[in-house]
Amino acid sequence: MLTEEELRRDYNYKRAQLEEQAEEIRRGEQTFNQLMEEASKDISQMLREAEGDASEASQFSRYRLHQLSEEYGEKFQAEKRKIQQQLEEAEHEFNRQYSQLKEGD
C-alpha cells in the first residue's frame, strides 16, 4: 500500500499533467480563434478589393468560417470536459485511497 506522501505525490503529479493538457487546449483554442479572426479579415479585404458583386462570396465565406468556428469550438469544449472529468476522477480516487490509508492506520 502507498504511504500518504506517495499518494499525495502521485495525485499532484497526475493533476499537474492534466492541468498542463488543459492549458495546451486553451492555448490551441486561442490560436485557432486568432487564426479565424485573421482569415475573416483577410477574406473581407480581398472581397472589398475584388471587382464586381462579391456579396455571394462574402456570405459563403462568412458562413463557412462560422461553421468551422462552431465545429472546432465543440471539439475544444469536448476536450475541456474530458480533462475536467479526468481531474475529478483523479481527485475522487485520491480521496478513496486516502480514506483507505487512514482507516488502515
Side-chain angles (χ1 to χ4, degrees):
M1 183 177 261
L2 295 173
T3 66
E4 183 176 344
E5 183 180 321
E6 291 170 327
L7 187 60
R8 286 184 190 279
R9 183 196 65 225
D10 290 350
Y11 169 72
N12 288 334
Y13 177 74
K14 182 168 187 148
R15 184 169 183 84
Q17 285 181 313
L18 291 169
E19 287 173 348
E20 177 58 32
Q21 288 177 5
E23 182 58 29
E24 287 177 22
I25 290 169
R26 280 189 287 278
R27 285 191 304 262
E29 183 178 31
Q30 187 177 36
T31 299
F32 174 78
N33 289 336
Q34 288 171 345
L35 290 173
M36 290 297 289
E37 188 175 323
E38 288 173 22
S40 179
K41 288 177 183 177
D42 290 346
I43 290 170
S44 294
Q45 180 65 31
M46 286 187 295
L47 291 172
R48 280 193 297 275
E49 293 172 357
E51 293 181 22
D53 184 15
S55 62
E56 188 175 325
S58 176
Q59 288 174 353
F60 176 76
S61 67
R62 282 192 206 104
Y63 166 77
R64 189 65 185 121
L65 286 173
H66 178 72
Q67 199 176 34
L68 285 170
S69 181
E70 282 186 355
E71 180 182 330
Y72 280 93
E74 289 170 7
K75 289 179 182 182
F76 284 121
Q77 292 305 317
E79 285 300 312
K80 287 178 187 178
R81 285 190 300 274
K82 181 179 161 187
I83 297 286
Q84 183 60 41
Q85 182 179 3
Q86 289 174 336
L87 282 166
E88 290 169 6
E89 289 171 0
E91 185 173 353
H92 176 74
E93 182 63 17
F94 168 78
N95 289 334
R96 186 187 67 75
Q97 289 180 349
Y98 185 76
S99 294
Q100 285 180 343
L101 180 68
K102 288 301 176 185
E103 288 173 5
D105 285 348

